[in-house]
Amino acid sequence: MPVADRVGVVRKELSELAQAVPTAHDLMQRMVKLLHDRMLKYNWVGFYMLEPGAQPPVLVLGSFEGAMTPHTRIPLNQGICGAAASSGQTVVVDDVSKDPRYLACSLETKSEIVVPVFVHGKVVGELDIDSHFPAAFTQENQEVVQYCAILVGKKLEASGQ
Ligand code: SME
């Protein structure tokens, strides 16, 4: 199947998943598995969520698929993860070896995307994806990952968060 068609199918599966699962936690768990299984260049897929009430704020590793990472707690002034959460912007890094902010998770990682998750306009966490391929996160990929973050934000809002 051409990549563009696969992305379309995965997008449909993601929205069906969001309807089918009862909680945001279930959605995140199933979503990381779906993305890891179906998107062939997504070699590590995980959520980091802001720890409620933590001062200074810290991102804590949540549901993930892929090898265990040494970075289970990331302050907002560290890493690509910290940059995305503190700016509220999607961060795409085509070559992690050239980005001084990058915190290494696997020696095989070549590119990374981090997309913030918002609840009522505030960042509550983010979806982080690493690829063993350089520049894996094209515009089309960015849109899919941003769609995932929106689905999770809406589910969290629906649960009254
Ligand atoms: N590379 C991230 C750290 C998390 S691991 O990739 C899973 C960063 O630079 O913030």
Side-chain angles (χ1 to χ4, degrees):
M1 195 189 278
V3 172
D5 293 349
R6 184 167 51 239
V7 169
V9 173
V10 168
R11 219 181 139 97
K12 187 161 171 284
E13 287 175 2
L14 286 162
S15 46
E16 286 167 0
L17 179 64
Q19 304 263 327
V21 294
T23 68
H25 179 262
D26 292 323
L27 179 58
M28 290 189 270
Q29 218 166 30
R30 299 271 300 272
M31 186 179 271
V32 293
K33 181 154 174 46
L34 192 155
L35 291 173
H36 188 257
D37 288 351
R38 302 294 305 284
M39 302 298 282
L40 301 181
K41 293 186 177 178
Y42 293 13
N43 300 108
W44 190 94
V45 183
F47 282 93
Y48 283 94
M49 303 308 284
L50 280 171
E51 188 167 73
Q55 273 314 323
V58 63
L59 292 157
V60 179
L61 181 63
S63 299
F64 72 96
E65 283 284 325
M68 186 56 194
T69 169
H71 304 292
T72 55
R73 295 174 68 83
I74 304 177
L76 292 202
N77 60 354
Q78 286 183 24
I80 309 219
C81 286
S86 56
S87 66
Q89 304 277 326
T90 294
V91 181
V92 175
V93 180
D94 287 340
D95 178 352
V96 293
S97 73
K98 295 213 169 76
D99 193 317
R101 297 170 299 182
Y102 175 65
L103 298 171
C105 168
S106 149
L107 290 176
E108 288 176 295
T109 297
K110 300 285 192 298
S111 60
E112 178 163 9
I113 184 171
V114 187
V115 177
V117 173
F118 292 91
V119 168
H120 302 304
K122 285 203 176 129
V123 176
V124 295
E126 60 194 22
L127 177 51
D128 176 17
I129 305 180
D130 292 353
S131 178
H132 296 173
F133 299 82
F137 302 103
T138 60
Q139 185 61 37
E140 187 179 40
N141 281 272
Q142 290 177 39
E143 283 166 17
V144 171
V145 184
Q146 283 168 344
Y147 181 58
C148 289
I150 288 168
L151 289 175
V152 171
K154 281 193 184 145
K155 200 79 177 175
L156 286 164
E157 285 178 1
S159 73
Q161 196 173 333

